[in-house]
Amino acid sequence: MRTATSSWDGIPVIKTGDDYVESLRGRDLDVYLFGDRLVEPVDHPIVRPSINALKMSYDLAIADPELATAHSDLIDAPVNRFLHIVGSPADLVAKNKMQRRMGQLTGTCFQRCAGLDTISVLHSITYDIDAKHGTHYHARYLRFMAEAQRRNIVIGAGMTDPKGDRSKRPHEQADPDLFMRVVKRDAEGLYVRGAKAHMTGGLNSHFICVMPTMNMTKDDTDYAVVGMVPLTAEGLTYIYGRQSCDMRAMEDGDIDAGNARFGGQEVLVVFDDVFIPWEHVLMDGEHEFAQEMVARFTSYHRASYVCKTGLGDVMVGAAASIARQNGADHASHIKDKLVEMTHLNETIYSSAIASSHEATQLESGIFMNDSMLANVCKHNVTRYPYEISRLAQDLAGGLMVTLPSDADFKNPKTGPLLDKYLQGRSNRPVEDRRRMLRLIENMTLGRNAVGYLTESLHGAGSPQAQRIQILRGMEVDKKIDLAERLAGIEADPKDAGE
Amino acid sequence: MRTATSSWDGIPVIKTGDDYVESLRGRDLDVYLFGDRLVEPVDHPIVRPSINALKMSYDLAIADPELATAHSDLIDAPVNRFLHIVGSPADLVAKNKMQRRMGQLTGTCFQRCAGLDTISVLHSITYDIDAKHGTHYHARYLRFMAEAQRRNIVIGAGMTDPKGDRSKRPHEQADPDLFMRVVKRDAEGLYVRGAKAHMTGGLNSHFICVMPTMNMTKDDTDYAVVGMVPLTAEGLTYIYGRQSCDMRAMEDGDIDAGNARFGGQEVLVVFDDVFIPWEHVLMDGEHEFAQEMVARFTSYHRASYVCKTGLGDVMVGAAASIARQNGADHASHIKDKLVEMTHLNETIYSSAIASSHEATQLESGIFMNDSMLANVCKHNVTRYPYEISRLAQDLAGGLMVTLPSDADFKNPKTGPLLDKYLQGRSNRPVEDRRRMLRLIENMTLGRNAVGYLTESLHGAGSPQAQRIQILRGMEVDKKIDLAERLAGIEADPKDAGE
Amino acid sequence: MRTATSSWDGIPVIKTGDDYVESLRGRDLDVYLFGDRLVEPVDHPIVRPSINALKMSYDLAIADPELATAHSDLIDAPVNRFLHIVGSPADLVAKNKMQRRMGQLTGTCFQRCAGLDTISVLHSITYDIDAKHGTHYHARYLRFMAEAQRRNIVIGAGMTDPKGDRSKRPHEQADPDLFMRVVKRDAEGLYVRGAKAHMTGGLNSHFICVMPTMNMTKDDTDYAVVGMVPLTAEGLTYIYGRQSCDMRAMEDGDIDAGNARFGGQEVLVVFDDVFIPWEHVLMDGEHEFAQEMVARFTSYHRASYVCKTGLGDVMVGAAASIARQNGADHASHIKDKLVEMTHLNETIYSSAIASSHEATQLESGIFMNDSMLANVCKHNVTRYPYEISRLAQDLAGGLMVTLPSDADFKNPKTGPLLDKYLQGRSNRPVEDRRRMLRLIENMTLGRNAVGYLTESLHGAGSPQAQRIQILRGMEVDKKIDLAERLAGIEADPKDAGE
Amino acid sequence: MRTATSSWDGIPVIKTGDDYVESLRGRDLDVYLFGDRLVEPVDHPIVRPSINALKMSYDLAIADPELATAHSDLIDAPVNRFLHIVGSPADLVAKNKMQRRMGQLTGTCFQRCAGLDTISVLHSITYDIDAKHGTHYHARYLRFMAEAQRRNIVIGAGMTDPKGDRSKRPHEQADPDLFMRVVKRDAEGLYVRGAKAHMTGGLNSHFICVMPTMNMTKDDTDYAVVGMVPLTAEGLTYIYGRQSCDMRAMEDGDIDAGNARFGGQEVLVVFDDVFIPWEHVLMDGEHEFAQEMVARFTSYHRASYVCKTGLGDVMVGAAASIARQNGADHASHIKDKLVEMTHLNETIYSSAIASSHEATQLESGIFMNDSMLANVCKHNVTRYPYEISRLAQDLAGGLMVTLPSDADFKNPKTGPLLDKYLQGRSNRPVEDRRRMLRLIENMTLGRNAVGYLTESLHGAGSPQAQRIQILRGMEVDKKIDLAERLAGIEADPKDAGE
């Protein structure tokens, strides 16, 4: 029988990063990549770097517990900060600092933020639904979280529906499955059908939390569903998204990959009438909460893009390193470009931690990031990494895109020629220069450019989504009032609020 | 006899904004404007708006004590926050919020921040000098501050020397007075000669704190002096700086001034062998502390430029108001520009309050803004107000610069023609439109453009000054290390630190 | 009797700049400034600099005839290029180079471009109307132009109507006069009522050409009127627009004005049933040509904003001069900023002359600027002068906005103090520094900032107007086709053109 | 015996694109890619798209001879414009339009511009050397060009030396071969040793013209060499540079490559004592001409970057197409972004064709692009394609980087799921959407991002190289003079020219 308890079958208590990797083995998931079903994703050279990146969140908790763990009142024990329920603004600030550190250590998307922000938003949303409807979602949520903390698992956020024709609402789509919906309910639970796209680290999680991607109307009631689904549930199919330069992970040698150890991951997850026991259902039809859920989620999640400042730190370091190897690090324009990169990177950082410091308390007792500043943070993230990336390419020089392959360096005829002619400053081996050029390529054009650039643009909502939120939150009438007072205009109540 | 006590002569205990204005009367200062010695600056139509702006800091303390006052442990009483010694990061954040509010209420520079930031830096610097040299500056500082808080005075910061030839150090200048220096010392005190330029609100203060403008070497010892000088001291001459459109304050009517009530002020103050009693000397020759003093001052002061977000709020409101009056507020490009203005403004705000929240404690016990983020804040201030201003002019339309004078509206022949032809949306009087256009002109070209634009560029250090600080603080070697690890480069100790 | 011939009464044949100034005297126009009717505008200290700027177009024709004159086939004689009918792309390029030179020589708006561009567009529009309607506008146009060239006059463009509520068409306005319209027709001519706003150099012209400001529908037929009106016509009232810092021209001394000799001018011109003889009517009711007339006008006129590169040259020179006087000209960041200013300035120049070189021939035989590139030029003009201005202020230093008045320099007490303390590099007098600071203030905040900044934004159409034209001209379907071919997509005729 | 005549052995007369492809076969070059010597590069799936791109220059000459051919006075016959000697500004403008068209048709670097610009610069440089030294280079040059035109060959530009330690001159390098140099001279010719990096289309040419990469001093005399080397010369080794996503060309199917038919190419070419007969030597030791040669080359070549506007057209089209497929093309922010992309693209175009129209004649009789405007063009190219690319990614949506592989679409289990869930607007097949997303990926992250982005940054000199040229050409003293005149400053001859 399928129960909430059986959902946890096969998920061990995870203590270390290695435990985590082991927990992903042998799950016999239906995963497809390059047209093949993967026998064991954990050992696949393209998948593994994405697991390594997420594993770092476990390793960091051991290496730096002050940064990456927190005390959970729920289970009265320290827990990984990626599973911690936000108790204060300081918790949010600490989260941001951990995210930046994770970015520094992996140079890529470590895939655990969306899940954390989902946990955060569900605390208050389940509380608020219960308050209105007399439901019992919040208690279910707390029970789930206690177990999740005890086992130290990874929760993935299944938010983005494929959306089909963007000018139509969910129930209006030609194919009703283009947004996830409840197709059946019975005594034990409900069944969902649909797909979740762009699922960051979807394959590297233990549970997926499915939830609505946008506001829902009365006619979309069956689309207003939140639930926790174990990755091993029946009816799930995972299709791996391909990334720029993904094939380099399949080659011999670790140089051309640029960042051989760490990478991001996105999968499309198809839900073919997947069962969710009632105990793991956290919303079912309360459509009027969908919009607020998304709004709160974005308040948390848009500040989480502070992780990109960790990648920005790597970009600054990489650009400085290659300039030094080229012997150009003392040129004033080189230093000036490093300063500009840093300035932009720290501007992003400011908005994120300001948003966290200025968090406000919700009814359920937890704190939420300041929404305006979180949107400002994310909006800067849609711009500055592109400019930082351009400046890094500037300092790298053209060799970054004309450098022959590692195999050519190993070839007995061409290897010595390349080592002779690609020598930079004499005290550094050519291999160091190649490695640094490949890292910059990796982050600006290659596999991790997906995380550093395109995800910075579209993750947690595309630029226009932030502009809409800024428009909503900008309190234009208050500002008009300020201006009119200074201009000596007598307030005209008839004109207000138009 | 001139003593520290007599320095306080004539300075009343100030409770209200009106008290403050009264405290400035009858001081018989040697003030020059347009070639004339002013009989009573308080009543001069150009000077008065600058007094009004500063007066708002007193009014706000009464209207919103939670925001604009704080409890002083020094005198165990509430004090104006502009005289409060920073006790925590929360104090700095509250300061920033008060500064934004002051900007919203005045639409100009209210001239009290540099003095506040001077107070802050002197707490720790006097403490540190004493620790090294066994001097007693810190006790003097505390006694002065207790009295300043009791009387609720305004302290002006006299920092910027004229500097002469910028490629030369103070002692190398053709004229040794181009930096302020001690010309004589006796039993009662010392005498300084020189000038302080760009003194914000110099005339609207009760005391000027003179201090070095940059690092000093052993040969510049006589230039390393800090002291408190009452505005009524002998030997002081004040020369008023002129501002764009300053003459409009001399005209009849309040419309063309744009913001008739509030304005900024800068004066050049010449010190002709001005006496400072020992009790009010807080540095005398400890040249090695000058650089650190400036560095700490800028950490405080560059975050104080958050005040410009208050002006930015006014700009957003003014642009929205004029668009509404033109009947264009529903156009998508208009809304988009308001969003962009807000986004830029809130980005500035983020960096300031992030810098305050992330303040760290100094030896003397007080807190100092995070230096990197304060520099990032100020650097954004050197860019974004210009773009916000451009966007406001865009929404204003060309009429902002072709609008006839108020006198033409009052002329019986031209007045009706103007009212007929300059009608916008029918439910608003033409006068409202004029007022709003004049406000935008005031802030983007006129008198308060000085504060909103040029001061944003040069106050607290020109853009390059921030870039130098960012370069110093960016920890490039740590970032190179991050990049090299990810690239798989074995760290090479010989190359480090080059 | 009022005839076309009598329109020319009192307009002499003008040969020199001095002739031009004399031609403006004694016209007894109804001009208002600061509420007063001006007795003789030519001698008014605010008006005169604007006349001087326009006068330069006469002086330059004598000093550099190759640049500023051209051979007119119409009268078979050399004419001022500002009256020349465009015969080739080379004519348009020469025009642009003359405009840049005029900007260099005056540092302001010289007010003669809109008239020139009006001449250009009327050649082809009258031709096209005649071709469709069998009217005789083109011959009238040629006769008028021949006389204009013979007398060497200034034609002002009366284009911008007040517009009232921007969401309504001309005939829908509450007050029908908010767009200019024909109120009466008789055997001799027609009568117009309305106003033309923002008239650049309106007062410094001999004739005003009134014309529609935007597209007209059948219901707006009476608003579709073009005609030539002498400034001395009955029923005209001129109201002078005030500019930032305009009062400085009224002060003693020439320093604080920044650019004492040259300034811009805009007037509001009210037409109270002003008569136009048929011979000078060039459109009357052919409403369907209004849109095309405006479109062609903007093709010419948006490239005319190349004049701002002449002002940009002055900005670069001023910034370089003040940096040199400060002794900072060898700093790498200073040079870098001068390069950036130049780069932006030359980018504007590129688009203008590219637009002229790529001009195409119209049915009437004359050439018209490439519309896309002209719009691109103007759109860059709405952005780059603001950034150039910001950079110039950066190099100027804060003294630009805190410098005391010239009167303070002349005061026997304060003058010597100022000369002592404001000394920069020793080999240059302080006065030179002041003059240069005042020039930068003049162009970035003061009187000529109106021309360099706000007019750059709104003249020839606000930014959104260019974006609309770029949208119209961008041929998106052709570009989609290019992309689809490269992507290997089979063209789908059903989807085209959506 | 190796002679100039035998250099031409094996090079046929090429008439069509197919002839061109055939001419590359069977050359038995020493080419390495991924560590292997390629048997026949022409048939290699990675090499072939780069050949196709260059082939388009032959196809276009047949399809559109007006655009892509010109009459050669040298052989009195029409020749491909890529081999035409510039006779007028119009020739340069036509070249630019052909380059934009080539960009539109290939979406990548077609590799033939550097060779063309080399031809152009050698005409005047050989002429000028002869004039000074009495040498006979120009006649040699003309004979070579006549034959090149007759056979219709591709000439590659071998300019960029590896450079080693950038702080040292050629003769100071630890390894003297890091710049190409003459190692031997005999009766028949000379021998060069060294390498040329980043050789665009190096493998797809018939001759390489080697030439100095920067200014040369007397001590670098042996490095001042120009000569024509056939690709089949003894001693040449070609090592292929790898590009982002290069392996996708090795996969089945044409979708994931994004632009399967066209790609760029860069190779490192090593010269191991390669012989050049005297008849093909065009400079040998006249080191003082190296700098001028580079300067003229960049005047031509920096304007050639107009080709990127052709790619920009594809980007605009691709972004519009994907927005249309997503059903989002009517949103105002989408249209606004397309306008911005177009505006930036046309700004680049302006500077290029302005530079060509404004070309000036050299002593040898040919015309050279205006240097300032060519530098401005290239400098804009280092910025705007990055922003255009960011905007295209914005319109594409996140699916661009999470789309599964083509193989997953072909898999019978996952294919139908993907087709179901990735449906956009219903009237377009999912495959079209995939193709368009892959094209945008190709140009912004993938193989052709090398050409559209990084090459835009570094080709023809990195950004700082343009800034140095702008600094040299900006005539700062003339501009200071303009400013000083307007400010009323008496010119001070002693200060001039500092």
Side-chain angles (χ1 to χ4, degrees), chain D residues 233-355:
Chain D
E234 257 180 70
L236 289 172
T237 308
Y238 303 87
I239 312 174
Y240 215 86
R242 77 177 306 181
Q243 299 180 313
S244 179
C245 297
D246 43 13
M247 296 304 288
R248 294 213 190 161
M250 312 291 283
E251 298 175 9
D252 287 340
D254 69 332
I255 294 181
D256 286 5
N259 179 351
R261 272 177 301 155
F262 302 112
Q265 176 193 95
E266 269 108 8
V267 290
L268 177 77
V269 188
V270 179
F271 293 70
D272 185 14
D273 296 3
V274 171
F275 171 75
I276 309 177
W278 291 120
E279 174 68 9
H280 286 176
V281 172
L282 300 178
M283 177 191 287
D284 178 22
E286 294 84 2
H287 61 86
E288 75 275 24
F289 283 90
Q291 180 157 27
E292 182 60 20
M293 176 169 181
V294 173
R296 290 187 199 168
F297 177 78
T298 56
S299 283
Y300 288 110
H301 199 44
R302 287 178 186 168
S304 285
Y305 274 74
V306 71
C307 66
K308 302 306 178 199
T309 61
L311 281 73
D313 291 330
V314 176
M315 293 299 293
V316 171
S321 170
I322 196 67
R324 192 174 282 185
Q325 292 190 55
N326 291 343
D329 51 326
H330 293 298
S332 65
H333 77 97
I334 298 288
K335 285 188 285 190
D336 198 59
K337 284 164 186 166
L338 291 171
V339 166
E340 184 65 19
M341 292 167 78
T342 302
H343 171 66
L344 297 175
N345 201 44
E346 299 293 343
T347 296
I348 294 171
Y349 182 64
S350 306
S351 309
I353 59 163
S355 167

Side-chain angles (χ1 to χ4, degrees), chain C residues 441-452:
Chain C
E441 184 194 34
N442 169 276
M443 296 182 78
T444 64
L445 293 175
R447 185 171 184 185
N448 288 331
V450 170
Y452 189 52

Side-chain angles (χ1 to χ4, degrees), chain A residues 305-341:
Chain A
Y305 274 75
V306 70
C307 66
K308 303 305 178 199
T309 60
L311 280 72
D313 291 331
V314 175
M315 293 299 294
V316 171
S321 170
I322 196 68
R324 192 175 279 183
Q325 292 190 54
N326 290 344
D329 52 326
H330 293 298
S332 65
H333 78 97
I334 298 289
K335 285 189 284 190
D336 199 59
K337 284 164 186 166
L338 291 172
V339 166
E340 184 66 17
M341 293 167 78

Side-chain angles (χ1 to χ4, degrees), chain A residues 93 97 100-101 103-108 254 258-262 310 312-321 324-325 329-330 335-340 342-347 349-355 357-358 372-373 375-377 379-380 383-384 425 427-429 431-433 435-436 439 443 464 466-468 470-471 474 476-477 479-490 492 494-498, chain B residues 93 97 100-101 103-108 254 258-262 310 312-321 324-325 329-330 335-340 342-347 349-355 357-358 372-373 375-377 379-380 383-384 425 427-429 431-433 435-436 439 443 464 466-468 470-471 474 476-477 479-490 492 494-498:
Chain A
V93 173
K97 292 182 178 178
R100 183 171 186 165
R101 184 67 184 145
Q104 292 177 335
L105 292 173
T106 62
T108 189
D254 70 332
N259 179 353
R261 272 176 301 155
F262 303 111
D313 291 331
V314 175
M315 293 299 294
V316 171
S321 170
R324 192 175 279 183
Q325 292 190 54
D329 52 326
H330 293 298
K335 285 189 284 190
D336 199 59
K337 284 164 186 166
L338 291 172
V339 166
E340 184 66 17
T342 302
H343 171 66
L344 297 175
N345 202 43
E346 299 293 342
T347 295
Y349 181 65
S350 306
S351 308
I353 60 164
S355 167
H357 277 296
E358 294 286 311
M372 172 60 79
L373 300 181
N375 276 284
V376 165
C377 170
H379 207 51
N380 284 328
R383 298 174 174 183
Y384 296 160
R425 269 195 354 177
N427 67 340
R428 290 288 291 263
E431 188 183 307
D432 283 7
R433 201 176 175 200
R435 285 183 176 278
M436 198 50 69
L439 176 63
M443 295 181 78
Q464 189 62 10
Q466 288 112 52
R467 294 182 87 80
I468 289 169
I470 292 171
L471 184 65
M474 66 192 278
V476 74
D477 285 316
K479 287 172 184 163
I480 286 176
D481 186 56
L482 292 171
E484 297 198 341
R485 277 170 199 274
L486 290 175
I489 297 175
E490 201 68 27
D492 181 352
K494 293 192 302 297
D495 201 53
E498 286 182 69
Chain B
V93 173
K97 291 182 179 179
R100 184 172 187 165
R101 185 68 184 143
Q104 291 177 336
L105 292 172
T106 63
T108 188
D254 70 332
N259 178 352
R261 273 176 301 154
F262 303 111
D313 290 330
V314 176
M315 294 299 294
V316 171
S321 170
R324 193 175 281 184
Q325 292 190 56
D329 52 326
H330 293 298
K335 286 188 284 189
D336 198 59
K337 282 163 187 167
L338 292 172
V339 165
E340 185 65 19
T342 304
H343 170 67
L344 297 175
N345 202 43
E346 299 293 343
T347 295
Y349 182 64
S350 306
S351 308
I353 59 162
S355 166
H357 277 296
E358 294 285 312
M372 172 61 77
L373 299 181
N375 276 285
V376 164
C377 170
H379 206 51
N380 284 328
R383 298 175 174 181
Y384 296 159
R425 270 196 352 175
N427 65 342
R428 292 288 291 264
E431 188 183 306
D432 283 7
R433 200 177 177 200
R435 286 185 176 276
M436 200 48 69
L439 176 63
M443 296 182 78
Q464 189 63 10
Q466 289 113 50
R467 294 183 87 81
I468 289 167
I470 293 172
L471 184 65
M474 67 191 276
V476 74
D477 284 317
K479 287 173 183 163
I480 287 177
D481 186 55
L482 292 171
E484 296 199 341
R485 277 171 200 274
L486 290 175
I489 296 175
E490 201 69 29
D492 180 353
K494 293 190 303 296
D495 201 51
E498 282 181 72

Side-chain angles (χ1 to χ4, degrees), chain B residues 358-380:
Chain B
E358 294 285 312
T360 48
Q361 196 166 18
L362 302 175
E363 287 296 309
S364 74
I366 73 165
F367 281 77
M368 186 179 81
N369 283 75
D370 180 86
S371 176
M372 172 61 77
L373 299 181
N375 276 285
V376 164
C377 170
K378 176 68 210 324
H379 206 51
N380 284 328

